Amino acid sequence: IDVQARRMVEMAGYLIMSYLLLNDANKDEKLFRKSAEVYLNYTQAEVKKNASFIRNFDIDEMAFYRYDFEEKKVEEEVTA
């Protein structure tokens, strides 16, 4: 769940920022419209990327995403 939670929180952040920019663009179109359009395009790409990752995630590959603290400790001892 934690592997996917980070991506979902990222998506929520993009969506919230897009909403706020759209809100500002509605108040002062001249000042915020271009920024809102650019950020909306960026948001769309990032949300699609993260949604695709979540949708296509293979639980059998979970070990690749785990941080091995013991292995890191051994590496630090060897280099010290």
Side-chain angles (χ1 to χ4, degrees), residues 2 12 22 30 33 38 42 53 56 59-63 66 69 71 73-74:
D2 289 343
L22 281 172
K30 194 173 190 177
R33 181 178 176 151
V38 168
Y42 179 73
F53 182 87
N56 297 315
I59 195 73
D60 295 332
E61 296 175 355
M62 180 62 82
R66 288 201 172 103
F69 290 100
E71 183 177 313
K73 184 177 175 184
V74 170

Side-chain angles (χ1 to χ4, degrees), residues 18-30:
S18 294
Y19 171 78
L20 293 172
L21 261 173
L22 281 172
N23 214 14
D24 288 341
N26 282 330
K27 292 175 186 172
D28 188 350
E29 185 175 338
K30 194 173 190 177

Side-chain angles (χ1 to χ4, degrees), residues 11 14 17 26 38 46-47 54 65 70 72:
M11 289 191 296
Y14 291 128
M17 289 297 296
N26 282 330
V38 168
E46 289 298 313
V47 168
I54 292 168
Y65 296 90
E70 290 301 317
K72 185 66 176 170

Side-chain angles (χ1 to χ4, degrees), residues 7-25 31-50:
R7 285 167 184 80
M8 291 171 38
V9 168
E10 273 182 19
M11 289 191 296
Y14 291 128
L15 293 170
I16 290 167
M17 289 297 296
S18 294
Y19 171 78
L20 293 172
L21 261 173
L22 281 172
N23 214 14
D24 288 341
L31 188 60
F32 292 103
R33 181 178 176 151
K34 288 181 183 179
S35 296
E37 287 185 24
V38 168
Y39 198 77
L40 283 171
N41 288 334
Y42 179 73
T43 295
Q44 185 178 19
E46 289 298 313
V47 168
K48 281 183 179 180
K49 175 186 80 172
N50 286 334

